[in-house]
Amino acid sequence: MGQPTILVVDDFAVMRDLVVHQLKLLGMTDVQTASNGEDALKLLASRKFTLVLSDWSMPGMSGLELLQQVRAHPALARLPFILVTAEIQREKVAAAIEARVSDFLLKPFRPEELERRIHAALGGQRLAPSVQPAAATAAPLPQRQTVLVVDDTPANLTLVGGLLRDDYQVKLAARGDKALQLCAASAPDLVLLDLMMPEMDGFEVCRRLKADPATAHIPVIFLTAVSDASRTVEGLALGAVDYVSKPIEPMILKARVATALRTARDRENLRAQFDLALENARLREEVERITRHDLHNPLAAIIGMSSAMLLAGQLNEAQNQQLVAIERTANDMLDMLKLSALLLRMEAGDYRPEQTPVDLAALLQRVADESRGICAGRQITIALALGAALSVSGNPLLLYSMLHNLVRNATEASSAGDTVSITLAAGGEIRIHNRAAVPEVMRARFFEKYATAGKENGSGLGTYSARLITEAHGGSISMTTSEVDGTTLTIVLPAR
């Protein structure tokens, strides 16, 4: 195999540099890079490549979307294309395979794995296992729901049991104590309970069922010839869900049984969803704790060892640059961990930012410059208007993170040819405007936690954290949007 010409596409500069360095160590020196999908397409149109290595998660055009565009081009349809990703989900793998990806490369990876995947892709092989549809198996028949009928009159047991047996598994009991034993042994899905029985009447049976946590959830429908309204109220107060009057009308009985069972099933589904939400919240808190605490030591070790190797002066210039990139990236991760911890304190209301002077004009200039680099290939213009020089007091990292995220969100919502404007006006008012309107479903809850719509991999934390950070600095944030005027975010921070 001759010298391949490789295009590396990744929006993270350090990752691009790492891949290029590893390729050169493998003797593959003809390498070009692009920071986004749009630039990659321009390079692919301008010269011939033998392989594309593309990150999956990129702002604007994702790696999968880039793959789809490459495959749609007749001249590039057979170009080997490897997607680089930190995680693989079954449905995403299926989408990439459908788009005819050559292979996958999981981060982090070693040089030998990179070489193996490249050689396989250039040879027309795919090392990653294909996602095949699950083998078709006969679906098990749904288990029929169980109805317990309790009545001291054998003719009534025979009648009700006969009406329901075609649709449900029916159990019969002629006494209240026997009904309680059956419920304790195996809880039915519904109890049809005669109100007037000797020894233990229906009220007492219902009272005992509702008093036992193991049977309290079972819906109870009373069967009664009693028309006294006060008795009806008494039964409902005990927890019964309905009454069916005697003599029994078959259609009414079946309809009320079906309704009660459906309602009970819906309630159980809601309870299961609530339990799952609680468990997810607990797991999320545990992951956040690990992220904030347990990652500090290894990151600190990476920074320390990088600094020590730089001070030793035993490496060449290229190696020194890589160590500087490693140290810078580790420091960025530490800053993110600190930011996460501060956001939790803001939620609890016990964070007050330090009184460090922050030059808003300089901060916005930095945000605009970095955003222009990201948007260059997408034909999105970043317009910056600094109408006032203003200094505020606060945490520079938090304010930078907030403004950078808000501008990035605005650019991600924009189309080619659009302009995202950033304005600093008198009084500390910052306005960020883009032409796209916020989806209708998002407008009322734009700054709420976990609110997101139509954004792949969106966490719903960006605008929520922006509100927390702004309010912690004594300021305010608001949003206006319409199909005609686009979207404007207004952040007001008190002057120092």
Side-chain angles (χ1 to χ4, degrees):
M1 180 176 61
Q3 177 69 258
T5 303
I6 300 175
L7 174 59
V8 176
V9 190
D10 200 306
D11 62 309
F12 188 27
V14 173
M15 194 66 198
R16 285 199 309 272
D17 293 343
L18 173 63
V19 174
V20 170
H21 175 69
Q22 291 190 346
L23 290 172
K24 290 182 177 178
L25 289 178
L26 297 171
M28 304 176 192
T29 57
D30 192 355
V31 182
Q32 297 288 314
T33 64
S35 60
N36 54 68
E38 291 83 0
D39 284 351
L41 289 174
K42 291 177 183 177
L43 284 170
L44 288 167
S46 66
R47 62 170 298 185
K48 185 176 180 180
F49 288 90
T50 51
L51 175 73
V52 176
L53 272 168
S54 176
D55 185 36
W56 192 314
S57 299
M58 297 185 293
M61 183 186 298
S62 69
L64 177 59
E65 291 168 333
L66 174 60
L67 168 64
Q68 291 167 338
Q69 292 215 27
V70 167
R71 290 293 179 253
H73 195 291
L76 304 174
R78 301 179 65 85
L79 176 65
F81 194 114
I82 297 176
L83 276 171
V84 184
T85 178
E87 57 180 343
I88 285 189
Q89 299 174 357
R90 185 180 181 87
E91 61 274 12
K92 290 188 174 182
V93 172
I97 290 175
E98 184 179 354
R100 291 181 289 133
V101 70
S102 301
D103 211 337
F104 300 94
L105 183 63
L106 284 175
K107 301 176 186 176
F109 51 83
R110 300 179 65 84
E112 54 267 27
E113 180 64 13
L114 174 63
E115 182 179 29
R116 195 167 73 95
R117 297 281 167 172
I118 289 175
H119 281 284
L122 293 176
Q125 304 174 42
R126 178 187 291 151
L127 299 180
S130 297
V131 176
Q132 301 293 343
T137 57
L141 293 174
Q143 186 174 358
R144 296 203 301 174
Q145 293 173 289
T146 302
V147 177
L148 172 62
V149 184
V150 188
D151 198 305
D152 65 320
T153 304
N156 289 337
L157 288 177
T158 301
L159 172 63
V160 176
L163 291 172
L164 300 178
R165 191 162 277 115
D166 288 344
D167 300 312
Y168 309 102
Q169 182 180 351
V170 178
K171 295 182 179 181
L172 305 176
R175 302 193 316 272
D177 58 345
K178 180 63 174 178
L180 292 174
Q181 292 173 13
L182 289 173
C183 289
S186 178
D189 297 292
L190 175 71
V191 175
L192 285 171
L193 182 59
D194 183 27
L195 187 58
M196 304 302 294
M197 294 186 296
E199 298 181 13
M200 186 185 298
D201 64 11
F203 288 129
E204 182 60 24
V205 174
C206 184
R207 186 179 293 110
R208 294 193 186 187
L209 286 174
K210 298 304 176 183
D212 186 346
T215 58
H217 67 284
I218 303 173
V220 174
I221 295 179
F222 278 129
L223 302 174
T224 179
V226 177
S227 59
D228 187 351
S230 63
R231 302 283 281 175
T232 301
V233 172
E234 182 182 353
L236 293 173
L238 286 173
V241 298
D242 205 351
Y243 273 82
V244 174
S245 298
K246 296 178 181 179
I248 291 170
E249 290 286 343
M251 292 182 63
I252 292 177
L253 174 68
K254 290 183 176 182
R256 291 188 171 176
V257 167
T259 298
L261 287 170
R262 183 170 58 250
T263 302
R265 184 173 60 249
D266 292 344
R267 186 183 299 114
E268 180 63 22
N269 288 339
L270 286 174
R271 187 191 65 79
Q273 291 174 19
F274 179 72
D275 290 345
L276 179 60
L278 287 178
E279 178 63 13
N280 286 342
R282 186 192 67 77
L283 290 173
R284 185 165 57 246
E285 290 174 359
E286 182 66 13
V287 170
E288 289 176 349
R289 183 196 66 77
I290 293 171
T291 300
R292 292 192 305 273
H293 181 267
D294 296 358
L295 290 181
H296 275 82
N297 286 341
L299 283 173
I302 291 171
I303 294 169
M305 287 186 288
S306 300
S307 299
M309 293 175 71
L310 285 169
L311 289 173
Q314 299 174 348
L315 304 175
N316 59 40
E317 183 59 28
Q319 292 168 331
N320 284 336
Q321 291 177 1
Q322 293 163 26
L323 277 177
V324 169
I326 291 171
E327 185 177 4
R328 183 174 66 248
T329 304
N331 274 307
D332 288 344
M333 291 182 67
L334 276 179
D335 288 340
M336 293 176 192
L337 294 177
K338 294 174 184 176
L339 177 60
S340 171
L342 291 178
L343 288 176
L344 288 175
R345 289 179 56 193
M346 289 179 204
E347 285 187 313
D350 65 352
Y351 173 74
R352 296 293 178 271
E354 59 267 32
Q355 297 302 303
T356 302
V358 180
D359 184 343
L360 276 186
L363 196 62
L364 289 171
Q365 184 69 60
R366 177 186 171 193
V367 169
D369 290 343
E370 293 178 356
S371 300
R372 288 187 182 111
I374 295 173
C375 295
R378 298 181 55 204
Q379 300 177 357
I380 294 173
T381 302
I382 304 295
L384 178 63
L386 301 175
L390 188 72
S391 177
V392 299
S393 296
N395 184 311
L397 172 64
L398 285 176
L399 292 175
Y400 164 77
S401 174
M402 174 191 70
L403 294 169
H404 187 273
N405 284 337
L406 293 177
V407 172
R408 183 184 62 193
N409 287 345
T411 62
E412 289 179 350
S414 300
S415 303
D418 286 353
T419 295
V420 173
S421 63
I422 308 169
T423 304
L424 176 60
E429 182 177 285
I430 303 167
R431 292 190 295 272
I432 301 171
H433 174 267
N434 66 285
R435 290 178 56 187
V438 174
E440 192 79 43
V441 69
M442 277 289 297
R443 295 179 185 180
R445 48 197 292 265
F446 188 73
F447 293 105
E448 292 181 9
K449 193 174 186 179
Y450 304 130
T452 184
K455 184 177 180 181
E456 186 179 1
N457 298 322
S459 66
L461 293 175
T463 52
Y464 171 72
S465 64
R467 177 172 65 81
L468 288 181
I469 293 170
T470 304
E471 292 175 352
H473 284 80
S476 63
I477 184 169
S478 60
M479 181 273 293
T480 59
T481 189
S482 72
E483 303 295 337
V484 175
D485 299 323
T487 301
T488 300
L489 293 177
T490 302
I491 306 104
V492 179
L493 296 169
R496 178 175 169 82

